[in-house]
Amino acid sequence: MPEASSPATSADAATGAVPRVLSGIQPTADSFHLGNYLGALRQWVALQDTHEAFYCVVDMHAITVEHDPAALRRRTKVAVAQLLAMGLDPERATVFVQSHVPEHAELAWVLNCLTSFGEAGRMTQFKDKSAKQGTSGTTVGLFTYPILQAADILLYSPEPGEGERVLRVPVGEDQRQHLELTRTLAQRFNNRFGETFVPPEAHIPPGAAKITDLQEPDAKMSKSASSPQGIIDVLEEPGPMRKKIMRAVTDTGTEIVYDEEKKAGITNLLRIYSALEGTPIPELEKRYAGSGYGQFKKDLAQIVVDTFTPIRERTYALLDDEAQLDKVLAHGAGRASKVAARTMEIVRDRVGFVGRGH
Ligand code: AMP
Ligand code: TRP
């Protein structure tokens, strides 16, 4: 699967064909974190300039584990506000909530019936999560989670004749296997029922695809597994943000050099620094040759604070006007529904469901 693929080329511009992009994120925390931002969300914003973009907050995925309805409602709104605050423009990108477009569940059912039990059981995220929770604490929804994700993506497959038939999915490294399953299901559907879906391409940013925990630099920064000290939240206040970076685990040496094996902590901080400032890592190594970890961390903390402060302020401003947020969501749901309804019409026909008549 290609790594971060090229944006729309000049050929696209010449033919007027714009490739599509789709991604989703769960509203399962009170804030997104630095890993989400660098691994995925920053790409979402950039790709809206060159692609026809569909971005959804996947609230149906969020109920695959036990949840509190009031928290889900609040977190869905906070998620949307953060996406807009990061720069998604609801006029250019279709920003919507998954449950507003019931075709996601409908296509998931069809794809469930094309996925073997063994295939679903090989998904490593499912294996990890279900091992932690035990079979009686694991829902069937969690088992079929990747198939709902495949439906999220394939519903927005461009039709033949709709320009360049490309569907890119910006995500972090941990989603690669789910994307592979989606490609397999697209091809299987096409083989059985005729050419319908475009197998999507993962768009994984080199360098920032896996940001690690500040306290456990060998583990992924994760809202479910990281301790509060290991994770930087987008909506966090500057004070705690700085503290966490200053206290990030580093090895006992003093040199600021990239070494995944021996210096996982500093390597992670270098990746974050490089991604946020846009400076290649070798240049940072040169800049900090001879200075200690203290100065490096202090400068990095400042960059993180400068990146997230405006996003935090805009998020809270957007949350103050709920009516406006609801309007944005209604607009997004309308646009997404048009595409989803058309895809489902084709799918129902191809699988042999009888039309309802008029
Ligand atoms: P999640 O928080 O697991 O719902 O992930 C949302 C998006 O952020 C997905 O595209 C993930 O691949 C990405 N992501 C999550 N954690 C990280 C991380 N530590 N580093 C890079 N990307 C991440
Ligand atoms: N499983 C993804 C994650 O945890 C979220 C997701 C759901 C998604 N549907 C999607 C990502 C469709 C990309 C495309 O991050």
Side-chain angles (χ1 to χ4, degrees):
M1 200 181 297
E3 290 294 324
S5 28
S6 60
T9 60
S10 49
D12 300 327
T15 56
V18 183
R20 274 200 187 153
V21 61
L22 175 130
S23 198
I25 189 156
Q26 295 194 70
T28 40
D30 288 321
S31 169
F32 295 141
H33 61 69
L34 180 63
N36 299 142
Y37 180 72
L38 289 179
L41 302 177
R42 215 169 53 146
Q43 279 61 244
W44 293 23
V45 177
L47 290 165
Q48 72 181 341
D49 293 333
T50 47
H51 290 64
E52 184 185 5
F54 296 87
Y55 297 127
C56 58
V57 173
V58 292
D59 52 349
M60 295 191 322
H61 279 101
I63 66 167
T64 55
V65 291
E66 206 175 314
H67 78 287
D68 168 43
L72 178 60
R73 220 168 271 131
R74 183 183 71 243
R75 288 168 168 179
T76 302
K77 295 261 171 103
V78 176
V80 174
Q82 284 175 96
L83 295 176
L84 300 178
M86 286 175 185
L88 284 187
D89 169 3
E91 282 312 314
R92 274 185 294 162
T94 299
V95 180
F96 67 105
V97 172
Q98 182 190 37
S99 66
H100 290 174
V101 185
E103 284 86 353
H104 288 243
E106 190 181 358
L107 180 57
W109 179 255
V110 173
L111 298 177
N112 275 332
C113 299
L114 289 179
T115 312
S116 78
F117 198 80
E119 211 167 25
R122 282 195 291 278
M123 295 294 114
T124 55
Q125 288 208 333
F126 171 74
K127 285 199 282 188
D128 291 350
K129 283 195 192 168
S130 58
K132 270 188 212 150
Q133 295 160 359
T135 42
S136 52
T138 300
T139 67
V140 174
L142 191 68
F143 186 60
T144 60
Y145 173 118
I147 303 163
L148 177 58
Q149 180 170 353
D152 295 340
I153 298 168
L154 298 180
L155 266 182
Y156 300 90
S157 262
E159 279 183 59
E162 279 195 318
E164 191 195 0
R165 295 192 75 208
V166 174
L167 186 56
R168 297 197 168 103
V169 185
V171 282
E173 180 62 40
D174 59 357
Q175 296 301 309
R176 196 180 279 283
Q177 195 188 28
H178 290 170
L179 261 288
E180 271 307 325
L181 176 69
T182 305
R183 290 172 62 83
T184 303
L185 292 176
Q187 279 150 353
R188 188 170 299 156
F189 187 100
N190 291 348
N191 288 340
R192 295 227 185 128
F193 305 118
E195 185 61 32
T196 307
F197 294 125
V198 175
E201 293 171 16
H203 184 95
I204 298 177
K210 187 180 170 190
I211 299 302
T212 61
D213 185 315
L214 298 181
Q215 291 299 317
E216 287 179 67
D218 291 318
K220 180 178 86 161
M221 183 180 285
S222 147
K223 64 195 153 201
S224 52
S226 295
S227 71
Q229 296 314 311
I231 194 168
I232 300 268
D233 279 334
V234 170
L235 298 181
E236 202 157 331
E237 295 293 326
M241 240 176 216
R242 285 187 211 275
K243 253 193 211 148
K244 288 181 187 181
I245 292 176
M246 295 311 291
R247 290 180 189 165
V249 166
T250 42
D251 60 286
T252 51
T254 53
E255 267 184 289
I256 294 155
V257 288
Y258 187 95
D259 184 337
E260 275 180 41
E261 313 252 295
K262 296 202 193 90
K263 288 167 100 60
I266 276 293
T267 296
N268 188 41
L269 298 182
L270 275 167
R271 283 205 189 108
I272 296 170
Y273 200 135
S274 164
L276 288 176
E277 200 188 65
T279 310
I281 287 177
E283 255 177 62
L284 292 175
E285 290 172 334
K286 236 186 264 165
R287 189 189 300 169
Y288 286 99
S291 49
Y293 290 160
Q295 188 60 46
F296 171 73
K297 285 177 163 178
K298 215 170 140 196
D299 294 348
L300 174 59
Q302 190 60 45
I303 294 171
V304 175
V305 167
D306 289 345
T307 304
F308 288 148
T309 298
I311 295 177
R312 186 184 71 247
E313 289 172 354
R314 278 198 295 271
T315 301
Y316 289 129
L318 286 158
L319 285 169
D320 271 344
D321 191 350
E322 271 213 50
Q324 179 56 28
L325 264 191
D326 289 345
K327 249 195 215 163
V328 166
L329 289 180
H331 179 63
R335 289 203 335 202
S337 288
K338 273 200 192 121
V339 178
R342 174 74 193 128
T343 305
M344 273 321 294
E345 247 177 57
I346 298 168
V347 167
R348 284 188 212 111
D349 180 57
R350 300 250 155 103
V351 301
F353 293 161
V354 172
R356 195 169 62 169
H358 293 287

